[in-house]
Amino acid sequence: MADSLPLTCRPPLWRIIMAFVCAPTITAIGLACIGPLYAGLPDWGDRVWRTFLVFWIVGALPLTVVFGIPLYFVLRSRVLPTIWYCSAAGAAVLVFPWVLLTLWTLTFLSEEEAGGHVLVLNGYRTFWGWLYLLQSLGEVALVGGIAGVIFWVIAAAKILRREQPANSA
């Protein structure tokens, strides 16, 4: 693989900034609409708005700043910004802290149950606990992958199409 990519393959700075702002925002809005918190509030719009603020301020923005932007700077000269790389990076940005959080909280749990299955027993994760963890990590990775696709659409979708050479026969 080459040491650096040609500058023509890199998206302009304004598109990168817009992608880093819009991808977490759109993802937080989508998650807030799917699963609004604050069930005691009568107005659905108010529940979605408050849920969006929690997801955006506590979840999306810190992960973008702490993991997403540094990952972009590491990968920008090594790989082309394709939809696959962007979705994989988005999934990694969201899954990595989730794994750390679940492993850290396991030290505080002695027993946990969900859906009639014992997930943690005497401080150790059971078979059902590992399955539940893998399911939740898959859901989180899916959301991160969607955020990566949104990033790609904003930052690099038209650039790569324009850069592809015509077939010469």
Side-chain angles (χ1 to χ4, degrees):
M1 192 173 285
D3 287 335
S4 68
L5 298 174
L7 289 175
T8 56
C9 292
R10 293 188 184 159
L13 181 62
W14 70 269
R15 290 182 76 168
I16 298 298
I17 293 170
M18 286 299 296
F20 273 119
V21 170
C22 292
T25 304
I26 293 169
T27 306
I29 290 170
L31 286 176
C33 290
I34 291 171
L37 306 173
Y38 304 102
L41 296 174
D43 183 25
W44 182 81
D46 194 28
R47 287 195 312 253
V48 168
W49 170 249
R50 290 180 186 211
T51 303
F52 160 71
L53 288 178
V54 169
F55 288 166
W56 193 58
I57 294 170
V58 175
L61 288 182
L63 290 179
T64 300
V65 171
V66 172
F67 295 109
I69 294 173
L71 185 63
Y72 169 75
F73 283 118
V74 167
L75 295 179
R76 74 177 175 168
S77 63
R78 291 177 173 82
V79 296
L80 286 172
T82 64
I83 191 169
W84 304 112
Y85 283 125
C86 290
S87 64
V93 163
L94 209 54
V95 165
F96 179 70
W98 194 264
V99 168
L100 292 179
L101 183 65
T102 56
L103 293 178
W104 180 65
T105 56
L106 185 61
T107 60
F108 300 112
L109 297 174
S110 62
E111 291 187 15
E112 182 182 8
E113 291 184 26
H117 298 287
V118 177
L119 305 179
V120 177
L121 184 63
N122 297 327
Y124 294 100
R125 196 174 299 277
T126 64
F127 174 75
W128 290 106
W130 287 108
L131 283 179
Y132 184 78
L133 175 65
L134 289 175
Q135 176 189 356
S136 63
L137 288 179
E139 293 169 359
V140 168
L142 179 64
V143 170
I146 291 170
V149 170
I150 294 169
F151 180 90
W152 175 79
V153 166
I154 295 170
K158 290 185 179 181
I159 290 171
L160 291 178
R161 277 195 217 123
R162 212 174 32 218
E163 296 296 328
Q164 291 176 350
N167 291 336
S168 57

